[in-house]
Amino acid sequence: MTEAAVDTLLREAMAGYRADPARADFMLNYACSQAVDPLPLYRVLYKFYNGQRRFEPARDFAARALAESARRAGLAGPPEGWRRDALTGVETLLASQLLLALKATAFLALRAGDEAAAGRHLAVLKDLDPEDGSGVSVVAALADGALAGDYP
């Protein structure tokens, strides 16, 4: 499927997702399965599912985005072993996709009540992104609230 066809599916899905979420779900997954490069679509899907409060598929697509962006960036092993200098020379868009997927993984772990996993991911993200370009501070504040009992 061409990029233009995938883009058309995405636009249709996003335009009609409130009226027909099941159709949008199908269209997004189909577009992802047909895309030459599904990595950018993983973010669309984990945000879509999170917005629908369907956290299991959101976690699945965030994990896919994290694994694929890490593979492309040449990062091996679990995120806890990654260091900032490993991102030196990584294309800006790819580094951004990696950081956003890691942030989503942390957020979704927090939503699942797994504060330990969220904390591990947030610590890595803070090390990889000390400038907070990914918005890690927002998720970190939510995690702090969860630990204080202020976040459901």
Side-chain angles (χ1 to χ4, degrees):
M1 181 175 278
T2 67
E3 279 188 49
V6 169
D7 189 51
T8 299
L9 278 174
L10 289 174
R11 288 175 196 236
E12 271 188 57
M14 297 318 292
Y17 81 93
R18 290 190 195 277
D20 193 349
R23 183 171 187 265
D25 186 342
F26 173 80
M27 292 172 75
L28 289 170
N29 276 281
Y30 182 69
C32 189
S33 74
Q34 298 301 305
V36 173
D37 180 9
L39 180 57
L41 300 181
Y42 292 157
R43 183 165 188 254
V44 172
L45 281 153
Y46 66 69
K47 290 179 70 87
F48 173 76
Y49 288 123
N50 181 60
Q52 290 192 325
R53 303 181 64 82
R54 293 173 57 197
F55 302 118
E56 194 60 39
R59 280 191 295 273
D60 177 55
F61 280 101
R64 288 183 197 190
L66 185 59
E68 180 59 16
S69 58
R71 183 192 68 75
R72 291 183 189 184
L75 297 173
E80 293 80 10
W82 301 346
R83 298 293 170 255
R84 182 168 170 75
D85 63 345
L87 292 179
T88 304
V90 172
E91 178 186 305
T92 303
L93 178 59
L94 179 57
S96 177
Q97 289 170 324
L98 176 93
L99 296 173
L100 291 171
L102 187 56
K103 180 177 98 170
T105 302
F107 175 76
L108 291 163
L110 184 63
R111 291 293 312 215
D114 190 348
E115 288 92 4
R120 287 192 307 275
H121 292 309
L122 289 171
V124 173
L125 194 51
K126 287 177 185 178
D127 182 55
L128 294 177
D129 183 25
E131 299 86 13
D132 195 23
S134 65
V136 64
S137 61
V138 174
V139 179
L142 290 172
D144 290 344
L147 293 174
D150 298 335
Y151 185 76

